[in-house]
Amino acid sequence: MYFDLKQRYGSPRMTAELASLGNKTSRVTVAKYMNQLGLKSKLSKKFTVTTNYKHKYLIVPNVLNREFSVTEPSKA
């Protein structure tokens, strides 16, 4: 069950999941067994916005228009 849930469940959520399946165990017991088996919950990273669209800097016009076709080889 732990691996089916992408290894994201810790002992509190795992205890609730086991309770919904009819197995009554305490969170401490589940944490103890998870620790013995080396099972830890993987934390998912939160999405953070890194681009500031409201800046006041000069925006350079798109001169190339994504046309990168070459008409002749370079003469270097």
Side-chain angles (χ1 to χ4, degrees):
M1 175 183 343
Y2 171 78
F3 295 103
D4 296 336
L5 300 171
K6 299 181 183 179
Q7 303 174 7
R8 298 232 165 91
Y9 276 24
S11 59
R13 287 173 70 180
M14 191 63 73
T15 305
E17 187 71 25
L18 289 171
S20 69
L21 295 174
N23 298 324
K24 296 200 175 202
T25 55
S26 68
R27 185 195 58 79
V28 176
T29 305
V30 172
K32 180 178 71 173
Y33 286 133
M34 286 180 71
N35 194 13
Q36 287 177 355
L37 295 172
L39 302 178
K40 295 180 181 178
S41 64
K42 287 185 178 177
L43 300 177
S44 59
K45 292 185 178 181
K46 304 296 181 187
F47 177 76
T48 57
V49 178
T50 59
T51 306
N52 181 9
Y53 291 105
K54 298 181 180 180
H55 58 77
K56 296 181 181 178
Y57 300 116
L58 175 67
I59 299 175
V60 180
N62 186 5
V63 180
L64 295 177
N65 292 326
R66 304 286 294 173
E67 296 176 13
F68 298 113
S69 58
V70 179
T71 56
E72 61 184 43
S74 63
K75 298 176 182 177

